[in-house]
Amino acid sequence: MTFCSHSKSRKHVISLVLIFFIIYDISFSFLPYLTSGRIAVLFLLITNFNTTSLDKIFYWGFATFGLALFYALFQSIYSCDLTQVSRLFWFIIYGWILPCVVSFYLEKAEYLYRLLFFAVTLQAIIVFVMFFNIEFRFHILDILEVDSNINPYENFQRSFGFTSLTGSAFSIVQAGGFFSGIYYLTISKFNSILIKLLIFLGLMVILLSTVLIGRTGLFISIFLLLFYIVFISNITQKIIILLLLFYFFQLDIESSFIFITENVEGFKSEWFITWIEEAFSTRNNSTLTEINNMNVPPISLETIVGMGLVKSENGFGNASMNDSGYIQTYYSLGLIISVVFYLTYFCLSFFRWLKSKRNPLVLIFLIIVFLVEYKEPFIFKYSLPFLLTTFLIYENKLQES
C-alpha cells in the first residue's frame, strides 16, 4: 500500500514537472540548445509513444504540415534562412505530435487540467516573488536564456518568471492555465467548498500575474472569467462572485496598487497603470495602431511562392517588417502554402471540436489562438498550439468515455 502511494506520488511530481517544462520551454544558460521542453519531449516520446492512439485527423495534419516543412526546407536552399524550417519542425513536434503522446501518458482529462492549473499557479507565484524581490529575480535570470527585446536586468516595469518566455507569449500561457482552472471546475465533481475556494484563489493569482507580464493574457483571462460567470457558474457561484467583485470595485484600486508597489526598485506605477488601461481602449491603443500601420508585402509572384525569409538579411528584426504571424508566414512560405497551413490547422482543430461534446469554452480558446496570431506568431512559440491541440484531444476522450 505504501509502495503504491509512493509510486503514485512520484508519478504526480514527474507529470507536473513535465507539464511545467513543456509549456514554459525553459532555456538554461548552461544548456542553451537542450531546452526543458525538448527534454520533456524526448522523455515522453521514448517512454510513451504509441501509434494506436493516433487518429485520421492526426495523419492528415502530419502529412500537410510535413509538406509545408519540406517546402520551407527547399526554400532555405536559396534563401539561406532556416528560421521557417525550425518553426514548422518544432510546431509539428510540440503542437501536433506531443499532445497525442501526453494524452496517452495522462489518460484522464481531469488529471491533465489539474496539472496545468497547478503548474501555471506555481509560475504565477514565482512571478510575484521575482517582481517584489529583485535579488531573487537576478538569481533566476542568471541561469536562464531569456528571448526578449526587453532587458530584464534594466527594465522593471514588467515581471519575468522561471521561463524563457516573456511579454505577450508568457501572458498567453498564463491565460491557458487560467482556462485550465475554469475548465477543471466544470468537469470535476467535488463537494468541498474549501477546494473550490482554493481553485478560485489560484485563478485570481494567475489573473493578477498576467497584469505584471503582458496585457494580451490579461485580456484573455478577463474574457474567460466573464464567460464563466455569465454562462457556466450556477446561481450560488454567481452571487458569491458578484459580491466579491462589488467589494473589489469599492476599493481604490489605483491608490492601493501604487501603495503596494512603491518600494519596488525601478518600478513606475503611474506609467504602468496607464499602460494597462491602454489595453482596454480601442481609440488610443498604441499596439493596435502600430500593428495596423506595419508594412504588408503586396501580393506578387515572389510573395505567392514565398521568399523563404523570416529574419532580415542583417539578422535583426524580420524580413516582412511586420510582427503579425500571418504576415511573417505569408512572406516566408508564400500565399498558397501559408493559407494551406493555417486553414488546415484551423479546420482539423475545428473537426476535433465537432467530434467532441462541443464545449463552448474550448471553441472560444480555439478562436482566441487564431485571433492573437494577428499580433505575433504565437503558433510558432509552441506552448499555445500544444495547449489547443491537447485540449481538443482530451475533449474527444471525454466524448468517448
Side-chain angles (χ1 to χ4, degrees):
M1 191 73 163
T2 306
F3 176 77
C4 290
S5 62
H6 282 314
S7 297
K8 286 183 178 180
S9 298
R10 185 162 57 248
K11 183 174 181 180
H12 290 335
V13 172
I14 292 172
S15 301
L16 180 62
V17 170
L18 287 171
I19 291 295
F20 192 94
F21 272 18
I22 291 168
I23 62 176
Y24 291 114
D25 203 20
I26 307 159
S27 179
F28 297 101
S29 54
F30 50 88
L31 281 175
Y33 299 106
L34 194 61
T35 66
S36 67
R38 294 174 188 178
I39 293 170
V41 167
L42 287 171
F43 175 81
L44 288 168
L45 286 177
I46 292 170
T47 59
N48 290 277
F49 187 72
N50 187 340
T51 56
T52 59
S53 62
L54 306 178
D55 57 13
K56 290 182 180 178
I57 291 178
F58 170 84
Y59 287 113
W60 274 109
F62 186 78
T64 306
F65 304 143
L67 287 172
L69 174 62
F70 279 114
Y71 186 76
L73 191 60
F74 171 76
Q75 287 180 313
S76 68
I77 296 172
Y78 61 83
S79 70
C80 299
D81 184 359
L82 287 167
T83 307
Q84 192 65 51
V85 175
S86 177
R87 283 182 170 185
L88 286 166
F89 175 79
W90 290 114
F91 166 81
I92 293 171
I93 297 295
Y94 280 89
W96 204 246
I97 297 176
L98 187 58
C100 296
V101 179
V102 168
S103 72
F104 184 75
Y105 176 66
L106 305 173
E107 295 182 1
K108 293 184 178 180
E110 183 178 339
Y111 187 33
L112 168 86
Y113 286 108
R114 184 167 71 241
L115 284 175
L116 281 169
F117 176 59
F118 285 173
V120 176
T121 303
L122 175 61
Q123 182 72 268
I125 294 169
I126 295 172
V127 166
F128 283 110
V129 176
M130 289 181 69
F131 178 72
F132 288 102
N133 190 321
I134 301 299
E135 186 177 346
F136 178 74
R137 171 175 173 155
F138 287 162
H139 282 314
I140 294 295
L141 292 173
D142 284 343
I143 63 172
L144 302 181
E145 293 284 343
V146 179
D147 183 20
S148 174
N149 55 3
I150 301 171
N151 188 330
Y153 292 94
E154 296 178 0
N155 190 311
F156 300 98
Q157 296 303 117
R158 307 274 281 276
S159 188
F160 295 79
F162 190 52
T163 173
S164 297
L165 297 172
T166 59
S168 296
F170 185 14
S171 71
I172 287 176
V173 175
Q174 294 301 98
F178 191 86
F179 170 90
S180 300
I182 287 177
Y183 201 64
Y184 179 48
L185 275 174
T186 65
I187 66 173
S188 298
K189 297 177 181 179
F190 38 69
N191 298 318
S192 173
I193 296 176
L194 178 60
I195 292 176
K196 290 181 180 179
L197 287 174
L198 287 174
I199 293 173
F200 275 115
L201 178 61
L203 286 170
M204 291 304 101
V205 171
I206 294 171
L207 178 65
L208 291 173
S209 75
T210 63
V211 175
L212 301 176
I213 299 168
R215 299 174 298 185
T216 308
L218 172 63
F219 186 80
I220 293 171
S221 298
I222 291 174
F223 177 79
L224 290 170
L225 177 61
L226 292 175
F227 185 88
Y228 175 81
I229 294 171
V230 175
F231 298 105
I232 299 177
S233 62
N234 57 40
I235 297 297
T236 304
Q237 290 173 333
K238 281 183 172 64
I239 293 172
I240 293 172
I241 293 170
L242 289 174
L243 286 173
L244 289 173
L245 289 175
F246 176 78
Y247 174 75
F248 179 76
F249 285 112
Q250 299 308 304
L251 302 174
D252 188 344
I253 301 171
E254 185 171 328
S255 298
S256 300
F257 180 78
I258 292 172
F259 175 76
I260 293 170
T261 58
E262 63 180 355
N263 293 322
V264 178
E265 183 180 337
F267 184 77
K268 299 176 181 177
S269 54
E270 291 84 359
W271 178 92
F272 189 84
I273 291 169
T274 303
W275 177 71
I276 290 293
E277 289 175 346
E278 186 194 56
F280 298 91
S281 171
T282 54
R283 293 184 178 180
N284 300 313
N285 193 307
S286 60
T287 302
L288 285 176
T289 302
E290 186 178 347
I291 293 172
N292 291 331
N293 291 333
M294 282 183 178
N295 173 65
V296 178
I299 295 176
S300 64
L301 180 60
E302 288 183 325
T303 54
I304 287 175
V305 299
M307 302 294 290
L309 293 169
V310 176
K311 292 182 178 179
S312 58
E313 293 181 2
N314 60 12
F316 297 97
N318 61 74
S320 66
M321 295 184 287
N322 198 302
D323 288 342
S324 170
Y326 292 117
I327 301 301
Q328 288 187 27
T329 308
Y330 148 68
Y331 187 77
S332 175
L333 284 178
L335 180 63
I336 297 172
I337 302 300
S338 61
V339 168
V340 169
F341 170 79
Y342 282 114
L343 195 60
T344 298
Y345 187 40
F346 178 82
C347 289
L348 293 182
S349 298
F350 187 65
F351 290 157
R352 280 198 193 280
W353 182 78
L354 286 176
K355 286 177 61 181
S356 69
K357 291 184 176 181
R358 303 186 183 183
N359 189 295
L361 261 178
V362 179
L363 179 62
I364 288 171
F365 194 82
L366 191 162
I367 293 170
I368 285 172
V369 168
F370 286 88
L371 285 178
V372 297
E373 185 72 1
Y374 175 74
K375 183 178 183 291
E376 288 182 40
F378 292 114
I379 282 176
F380 294 115
K381 293 181 180 177
Y382 318 123
S383 295
L384 195 57
F386 167 77
L387 289 173
L388 172 61
T389 307
T390 302
F391 292 153
L392 290 166
I393 288 173
Y394 275 92
E395 278 298 287
N396 291 159
K397 292 183 74 169
L398 284 171
Q399 175 69 11
E400 291 168 1
S401 60

